[in-house]
């Protein structure tokens, strides 16, 4: 596989070190998984239990390469019965550099009082619930957006929750690009002036499509937009917020500012307020054509 602009070869302090003795009775948080533990000539010999489970479920036949290690997950290029896919493996919450998601969770209803207390107290049960909720949210949002016709990766587990929760802590989606040339993020893409203008227009419309559905992305910038065959694809959805979130307006304004700021590299200059007004105007327009699920 050729070098990808997403490749990150820096060492991760949370990567598992199997030479270090563990304290008895204390489970070490799983961070960035070593590629050697995810691959083997025989799938039954793969050391990582998550990948073995994905193989047994019929989703994955082979992990090809590590693509990108981020704040909360590591993305891998993989192969499966339906072709090339991306496997996003979340780290344990304790092993993330990004841990405080309270601003995104505001407005969500947690029915059981003890569940709420566990989350607020960051107990082991609470952290497990947060982790599972983070993964399930990405799947749920992916399915909502993909079926609504937005330009997002196709989710490859689901659409029923019992189907996609079986892949926890992984999220499976269609690979954008090819195994040899994975779609770069817009932040890394080299665009001509006409391509930059097209990417800008598509990005504004993508944010408007999210708003029309009642969503603020929460991290909308060229770092979470892919560029492939002159098309912008939106990624990274676990932190999506709805209008029930009391911080919704602030998150939306922050998205507009982030988009404007990150596009300056491509020679396009706008301020966050003008971007927000344009996105709100476009959100009043027609929606994309919904996708129909094949039987």
């Amino acid at each position: 596989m050729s070098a990808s602009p997403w490749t990150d070869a820096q060492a991760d302090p949370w990567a598992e070190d199997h030479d270090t003795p563990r304290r008895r009775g204390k489970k070490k948080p799983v961070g960035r998984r070593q590629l050697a533990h995810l691959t083997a000539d025989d799938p039954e010999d793969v050391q990582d239990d998550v990948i073995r489970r994905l193989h047994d479920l019929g989703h994955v036949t082979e992990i090809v390469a590590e693509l990108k290690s981020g704040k909360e997950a590591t993305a891998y290029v993989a192969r499966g019965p339906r072709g090339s896919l991306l496997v996003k493996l979340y780290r344990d919450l304790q092993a993330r550099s990004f841990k405080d998601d309270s601003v995104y969770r505001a407005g969500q209803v947690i029915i059981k009082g003890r569940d709420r207390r566990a989350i607020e107290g960051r107990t082991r049960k609470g952290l497990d619930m947060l982790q599972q909720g983070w993964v399930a949210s990405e799947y749920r949002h992916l399915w909502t957006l993909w079926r609504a016709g937005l330009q997002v990766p196709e989710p490859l587990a689901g659409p029923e929750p019992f189907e996609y929760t079986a892949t926890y802590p992984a999220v499976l989606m269609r690979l954008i690009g090819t195994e040899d040339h994975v779609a770069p993020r817009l932040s890394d893409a080299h665009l001509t002036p006409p391509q930059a203008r097209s990417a800008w227009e598509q990005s504004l419309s993508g944010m408007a499509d999210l708003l029309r559905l009642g969503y603020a992305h929460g991290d909308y910038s060229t770092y979470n937009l892919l560029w492939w065959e002159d098309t912008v694809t939106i990624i990274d959805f676990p932190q999506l917020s709805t209008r029930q979130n009391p911080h919704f307006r602030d998150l939306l304004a922050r998205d507009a500012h982030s988009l404007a700021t990150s596009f300056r590299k491509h020679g396009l200059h706008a301020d966050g307020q003008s971007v927000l007004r344009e996105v709100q105007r476009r959100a009043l327009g027609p929606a994309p054509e919904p996708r129909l699920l094949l039987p």
Side-chain angles (χ1 to χ4, degrees):
M1 180 176 176
S2 60
S4 162
W6 285 14
T7 300
D8 182 358
Q10 293 182 344
D12 189 319
W14 285 102
E16 288 188 283
D17 181 1
H18 293 275
D19 294 327
T20 302
R22 298 184 182 184
R23 294 181 181 179
R24 181 173 297 178
K26 198 169 186 179
K27 180 178 178 291
K28 182 179 180 180
V30 178
R32 179 178 179 179
R33 292 162 168 85
Q34 298 180 22
L35 185 61
H37 297 165
L38 310 182
T39 58
D41 293 335
D42 185 338
E44 294 185 0
D45 294 333
V46 171
Q47 296 184 41
D48 189 89
D49 60 344
V50 176
I51 300 302
R52 288 199 308 272
R53 175 157 38 88
L54 295 179
H55 177 270
D56 293 342
L57 289 169
H59 292 304
V60 172
T61 56
E62 180 183 3
I63 299 293
V64 177
E66 180 179 320
L67 188 59
K68 168 68 179 175
S69 186
K71 293 176 292 187
E72 70 272 351
T74 302
Y76 300 88
V77 176
R79 295 179 187 136
R82 299 175 64 183
S84 299
L85 68 151
L86 183 137
V87 176
K88 184 175 181 180
L89 271 175
Y90 277 85
R91 308 173 186 212
D92 283 352
L93 199 68
Q94 305 96 310
R96 296 190 206 168
S97 58
F98 171 61
K99 301 176 184 178
D100 186 6
D101 63 350
S102 57
V103 68
Y104 306 108
R105 289 187 292 103
Q108 294 181 9
V109 177
I110 301 174
I111 298 175
K112 293 182 180 179
R114 59 184 178 184
D115 290 345
R116 183 176 60 254
R117 290 192 295 272
I119 289 174
E120 292 172 350
R122 314 294 282 189
T123 66
R124 178 177 294 182
K125 177 186 176 182
L127 292 175
D128 286 343
M129 290 174 61
L130 282 174
Q131 171 81 331
Q132 293 174 29
W134 198 256
V135 175
S137 290
E138 178 136 32
Y139 267 126
R140 186 171 64 253
H141 296 322
L142 259 178
W143 275 110
T144 298
L145 301 178
W146 190 80
R147 287 196 282 198
L150 274 68
Q151 194 63 41
V152 300
E154 178 187 2
L156 294 181
E160 300 301 328
F162 77 87
E163 296 173 301
Y164 59 68
T165 54
T167 73
Y168 172 85
V171 176
L172 312 180
M173 63 193 81
R174 184 81 64 189
L175 182 70
I176 306 299
T178 68
E179 290 181 12
D180 291 329
H181 300 283
V182 178
R185 296 178 297 179
L186 267 175
S187 59
D188 300 317
H190 299 285
L191 307 180
T192 65
Q195 286 177 323
R197 173 54 61 180
S198 174
W200 172 251
E201 291 295 323
Q202 291 180 58
S203 300
L204 288 173
S205 293
M207 186 174 166
D209 291 337
L210 289 171
L211 179 58
R212 188 183 298 107
L213 293 173
Y215 288 121
H217 185 280
D219 196 8
Y220 198 77
S221 73
T222 56
Y223 294 94
N224 283 320
L225 298 170
L226 304 184
W227 180 250
W228 182 252
E229 296 182 341
D230 293 335
T231 300
V232 171
T233 298
I234 311 169
I235 60 170
D236 196 25
F237 303 107
Q239 74 288 330
L240 245 64
S241 295
T242 66
R243 295 183 187 276
Q244 282 69 44
N245 189 322
H247 307 292
F248 183 82
R249 290 181 180 273
D250 293 336
L251 291 169
L252 190 64
R254 189 174 73 182
D255 281 347
H257 175 75
S258 298
L259 184 64
T261 302
S262 62
F263 251 96
R264 291 173 186 168
K265 171 189 173 181
H266 297 301
L268 292 167
H269 298 273
D271 62 88
Q273 284 297 320
S274 64
V275 168
L276 181 58
R277 287 194 296 271
E278 176 62 16
V279 165
Q280 291 171 325
R281 185 189 70 81
R282 294 189 185 203
L284 300 175
E289 189 71 25
R291 294 184 178 94
L292 298 177
L293 288 180
L294 298 177

